Amino acid sequence: MSSQDQAVQSYAPGEHPDLPAPMLTSGPLFWIKENLASSWLNITLTVITALFLFVVIPPLLNWAFLDAVYVAADRNECRELGSGACWAFVSERFTFFVYAFYPSGERWRVDLAFIMLILALVPLLYDKTPYRGYGLIYACLYPFIAYWLLLGGFFGLEEVETHAFGGIMLNMVIGITGIACSLPLGILLALGRQSEMPVVRMLCVVFIEFFRGVPLITILFVASTMLSYFLPPGSEFDLLLRVLIMVTLFSAAYLAEVIRGGLQAIPKGQFEASDSMGLKYWQSMRLIVLPQALKISIPGIVNSFIGLFKDTTLVLIIGLLDLLGLGKSALADAKWTGLSNEIYLSVAVFFFICCFSMSRYSLYLERKLETGHER
Amino acid sequence: MAAVEELAETVASSIDTSGEPIIRISGMHKWYGDFHVLKDINLTVQPRERIVVCGPSGSGKSTMIRCINRLEEHQQGDIVVDGIEMTGNLKNIDAVRSEVGMVFQHFNLFPHMSILDNCTYGPIWVRHMPKREAEERAMHFLERVRIPEQALKFPGQLSGGQQQRVAIARSLCMDPKIMLFDEPTSALDPEMINEVLGTMVELAETEMTMICVTHEMGFARTVADRVIFMDAGQIIEENKPNEFFSNPQHERTQLFLSQILH
Ligand SMILES: Nc1ncnc2c1ncn2[C@@H]1O[C@H](COP(=O)(O)OP(=O)(O)OP(=O)(O)O)[C@@H](O)[C@H]1O
Ligand SMILES: [Mg+2]
């Protein structure tokens, strides 16, 4: 090392003071150098990216916000008021997109179900919720409450047919039912596939391979048409219910494989230790094996959940009008022609918000479970 | 150590060899596929007896003690533990397992639970003990293995020796009648071996029935009532430790001892 530019000074042992870091090993300038300009390739990429953002972002912002029209009666008025996006259309249709054909006098039931869903999710997702025990009991009761609220027909609530379900509400109903039911089923299938009982194992393998081997759309078609051939004539079987069952089974098959991966990562010694303590099969699964296996499988599980939620749009194909379906049919409105950008962008934003929150939550969960476990 | 030896002597003389044995293995065979691992094993263990099993690697020591709590299934012969015949009957197996504690070479603590939970889950779920009582019990045994201050940490935050002592405490919390040890110190660094052996010696003083697979001959000398030597799936020799070390009968035992004691 050159000794001219560095003042060489010696201190008594143990007396060395803290010195400021040399230039360019910390601070914002250092960050820029390290991350944006560490090599010629890096500098080139930085410049290209900056140019790209400079070209793309301002017009996009102009279109989406500055030149956008938020209130207007129809497309023509929109065009007169501004050159940007015509959000007036989306806001006019907003309640329709959320509740679809749900009777307008009964919409408070959907709102209430939604608020109660949030209340059920808090203790479920956040383990420091006060009175979490009661919260969890409530969360277990929630599906029944929601069923009653949304469908009614007893305890003084007017019955609403599932034909009236649609829009965001339909996506939520299918997505959340699918997620809530497919996780336990997926766990059972994964355990069954590892079972020592050949019949159970074979049934699980056949089930999983069948549902993984067939596209979801096909399964939905089966649900909407073919199933009625197999069922005894006259037995009316709600279409939405059939869809829910099929989506759940489909997603459970995928989850089962994800969870099986986690189960296989558990060292044999864990099974032996819990066996040698005399824990019964279900106890050792619940207390020892699954907590570890599920923790490993979190990224894969959430991945499946996100896939499932996005796949709820496929019900469009069998004639159920989810958010995407409603949006698509809204485009045919003569008053508001040519606004597909606005509609599809809104739909995309909705799905992005939902899926991105799931993804963030999974990261939070992984980080929380990480502490202290690893050596 | 002298005191321990003396104590071992007195306990040894108090063992009643005529009474009902707590473990009786007779004519037991086991195969892994076509491989005949255990051949005609006969062994009776009296209550409070402490037995050390040694022998070359691959001789079937682990397999034999794992048959005692049926982590491995034997194909022929009888194993009776605490009056319960080890057959395919699941109910019997769980009953026996909760009476038999096992300590493994690689500790096998549950990494996702605190040390305290590791020690309380067995009593709570198998013995249906109230949580408060189980925790008091766990703290009692953690104190006995001298790591009560680690109770709220996770296994991954402990040293190997500490983990193994937790594993011992975890087994003791189940109040077992028999403790099985499968090379509890062979995954440990030398300084940790002694802390674990110390715990085991103290445990031996409590008149626990113990079967230890170990190559720690010093431990065998001070603590064991009987040393069993296995080779190629058979029990070649069994004797009191003094006799075993000073006057081995069988050629293979002599060879093994000459290798291990130098
Ligand atoms: N699951 C298994 N399948 C097939 N063979 C096995 C299995 N487990 C052990 N063996 C074989 O059985 C024999 C006895 O194994 P065991 O683990 O009982 O030996 P050990 O005496 O404990 O040896 P070590 O001192 O190395 O632990 C070995 O030859 C081993 O290769
Ligand atoms: Mg072994």
Side-chain angles (χ1 to χ4, degrees):
Chain A
M1 287 304 285
S2 58
S3 48
Q4 300 103 308
D5 51 347
Q6 292 225 316
V8 179
Q9 192 171 355
S10 54
Y11 300 93
E15 298 297 315
H16 205 301
D18 294 341
L19 300 178
M23 269 295 283
L24 284 188
T25 59
S26 66
L29 268 181
F30 174 72
W31 186 89
I32 289 174
K33 177 174 171 287
E34 272 301 283
N35 292 286
L36 301 180
S38 63
S39 67
W40 278 111
L41 176 65
N42 201 339
I43 291 175
T44 321
L45 287 178
T46 305
V47 171
I48 292 176
T49 314
L51 273 178
F52 177 77
L53 291 178
F54 183 73
V55 170
V56 167
I57 298 246
L60 199 65
L61 284 181
N62 280 343
W63 178 80
F65 299 108
L66 298 179
D67 298 336
V69 178
Y70 298 91
V71 189
D74 60 19
R75 171 78 215 251
N76 289 336
E77 196 188 336
C78 249
R79 212 172 281 153
E80 283 159 23
L81 288 175
S83 58
C86 180
W87 298 125
F89 183 30
V90 176
S91 61
E92 187 202 85
R93 292 296 176 101
F94 187 74
T95 43
F96 182 58
F97 284 169
V98 173
Y99 305 99
F101 317 102
Y102 210 85
S104 42
E106 305 290 327
R107 287 185 179 169
W108 62 270
R109 284 156 57 176
V110 180
D111 297 337
L112 185 60
F114 183 72
I115 293 169
M116 290 180 73
L117 170 73
I118 304 286
L119 290 180
L121 285 180
V122 170
L124 218 51
L125 299 184
Y126 184 59
D127 67 344
K128 291 193 188 67
T129 315
Y131 304 106
R132 186 165 186 235
Y134 296 108
L136 290 179
I137 295 175
Y138 162 67
C140 292
L141 292 177
Y142 175 77
F144 303 99
I145 303 175
Y147 178 90
W148 172 62
L149 272 175
L150 294 180
L151 281 170
F154 49 94
F155 290 142
L157 280 186
E158 189 186 317
E159 183 169 357
V160 177
E161 297 260 329
T162 55
H163 304 300
F165 285 27
I168 288 183
M169 180 209 157
L170 182 65
N171 290 107
M172 296 295 256
V173 166
I174 300 176
I176 289 170
T177 317
I179 286 173
C181 301
S182 66
L183 183 61
L185 190 61
I187 292 174
L188 289 182
L189 283 170
L191 292 177
R193 193 167 183 166
Q194 309 246 299
S195 163
E196 281 166 17
M197 290 175 276
V199 179
V200 173
R201 195 170 54 226
M202 212 186 64
L203 283 177
C204 291
V205 171
V206 168
F207 179 95
I208 291 170
E209 295 304 340
F210 174 77
F211 276 95
R212 279 205 312 168
V214 181
L216 180 56
I217 296 186
T218 317
I219 295 175
L220 289 177
F221 275 131
V222 171
S224 76
T225 58
M226 269 168 64
L227 220 54
S228 42
Y229 293 117
F230 299 126
L231 295 170
S235 62
E236 190 61 35
F237 202 58
D238 191 83
L239 178 61
L240 179 60
L241 183 59
R242 288 188 245 169
V243 168
L244 286 178
I245 293 175
M246 289 304 184
V247 167
T248 302
L249 297 183
F250 183 81
S251 156
Y254 274 88
L255 280 176
E257 287 299 282
V258 170
I259 295 167
R260 187 168 69 101
L263 286 175
Q264 276 171 346
I266 307 297
K268 216 166 139 250
Q270 294 289 307
F271 293 87
E272 292 177 352
S274 63
D275 280 351
S276 69
M277 277 165 79
L279 289 170
K280 304 252 186 329
Y281 175 82
W282 287 111
Q283 290 176 332
S284 88
M285 287 301 137
R286 190 164 81 72
L287 303 170
I288 313 295
V289 177
L290 282 176
Q292 298 182 57
L294 291 178
K295 184 196 136 200
I296 303 172
S297 333
I298 288 174
I301 292 177
V302 174
N303 204 17
S304 295
F305 284 171
I306 289 177
L308 168 97
F309 192 69
K310 292 195 294 188
D311 281 351
T312 58
T313 52
L314 290 178
V315 296
L316 169 66
I317 285 179
I318 56 166
L320 294 180
L321 288 173
D322 75 314
L323 177 60
L324 187 60
L326 287 184
K328 197 158 168 285
S329 61
L331 293 179
D333 191 335
K335 234 171 56 165
W336 301 94
T337 48
L339 292 176
S340 50
N341 284 347
E342 284 82 346
I343 293 292
Y344 289 137
L345 200 65
S346 313
V347 173
V349 166
F350 166 73
F351 279 102
F352 181 79
I353 290 175
C354 294
C355 296
F356 188 65
S357 343
M358 282 194 249
S359 149
R360 287 277 106 179
Y361 178 73
S362 97
L363 280 184
Y364 156 81
L365 198 63
E366 272 175 67
R367 216 166 293 142
K368 194 192 76 178
L369 295 178
E370 203 59 49
T371 47
H373 290 196
E374 306 313 322
R375 198 153 159 72
Chain B
M1 272 310 192
V4 174
E5 237 163 287
E6 222 167 80
L7 194 129
E9 286 298 309
T10 50
V11 175
S13 53
S14 74
I15 289 172
D16 178 10
T17 43
S18 62
E20 189 62 22
I22 192 158
I23 300 175
R24 188 165 50 74
I25 304 178
S26 51
M28 189 259 277
H29 292 257
K30 172 164 179 62
W31 288 263
Y32 281 124
D34 287 335
F35 176 50
H36 199 168
V37 218
L38 295 178
K39 301 166 185 163
D40 192 27
I41 301 289
N42 292 287
L43 177 68
T44 47
V45 181
Q46 299 298 329
R48 302 198 303 281
E49 210 176 356
R50 286 142 310 181
I51 291 180
V52 164
V53 181
C54 59
S57 182
S59 56
K61 309 176 296 288
S62 301
T63 310
M64 182 183 79
I65 67 164
R66 288 157 62 88
C67 281
I68 294 175
N69 66 353
R70 212 179 178 81
L71 286 180
E72 303 288 351
E73 208 171 318
H74 62 285
Q75 280 91 24
Q76 202 177 311
D78 297 321
I79 302 180
V80 181
V81 179
D82 194 27
I84 303 173
E85 165 102 48
M86 298 296 272
T87 55
N89 190 334
L90 270 174
K91 224 174 173 174
N92 285 352
I93 292 170
D94 282 331
V96 167
R97 279 177 177 166
S98 63
E99 301 296 340
V100 180
M102 179 136 188
V103 176
F104 301 85
Q105 182 176 4
H106 296 287
F107 333 134
N108 295 350
L109 294 179
F110 305 130
H112 61 299
M113 310 177 177
S114 69
I115 300 304
L116 190 64
D117 286 344
N118 263 279
C119 295
T120 55
Y121 268 42
I124 290 175
W125 293 94
V126 179
R127 298 251 188 266
H128 308 293
M129 191 182 277
K131 188 166 186 230
R132 172 89 52 81
E133 196 186 330
E135 280 177 358
E136 275 166 19
R137 210 181 146 72
M139 287 314 293
H140 168 76
F141 284 111
L142 286 175
E143 263 157 42
R144 238 176 75 186
V145 300
R146 307 227 168 76
I147 32 179
E149 70 283 355
Q150 313 283 1
L152 296 179
K153 288 195 186 166
F154 284 85
Q157 298 166 318
L158 267 55
S159 75
Q162 289 172 327
Q163 290 195 49
Q164 193 60 295
R165 284 185 285 157
V166 171
I168 294 174
R170 176 176 73 176
S171 294
L172 291 178
C173 285
M174 289 291 291
D175 196 17
K177 292 186 177 151
I178 303 163
M179 287 282 285
L180 306 175
F181 293 83
D182 190 0
E183 305 202 29
T185 56
S186 54
L188 298 175
D189 293 337
E191 70 267 35
M192 297 178 187
I193 291 181
N194 282 331
E195 63 185 52
V196 171
L197 284 181
T199 307
M200 289 169 63
V201 170
E202 282 169 27
L203 181 63
E205 289 167 19
T206 65
E207 311 197 349
M208 171 72 75
T209 310
M210 290 165 74
I211 302 184
C212 311
V213 174
T214 180
H215 293 141
E216 296 295 328
M217 290 304 144
F219 175 79
R221 253 188 249 267
T222 41
V223 170
D225 301 309
R226 235 188 320 158
V227 179
I228 287 175
F229 175 71
M230 287 183 74
D231 192 13
Q234 284 165 290
I235 295 184
I236 304 284
E237 185 164 346
E238 60 175 284
N239 216 331
K240 291 225 172 347
N242 282 341
E243 288 287 302
F244 181 84
F245 289 110
S246 59
N247 189 16
Q249 302 295 310
H250 204 283
E251 203 179 308
R252 279 195 248 183
T253 322
Q254 290 161 5
L255 184 66
F256 175 75
L257 285 177
S258 71
Q259 281 166 350
I260 206 161
L261 294 178
H262 295 294

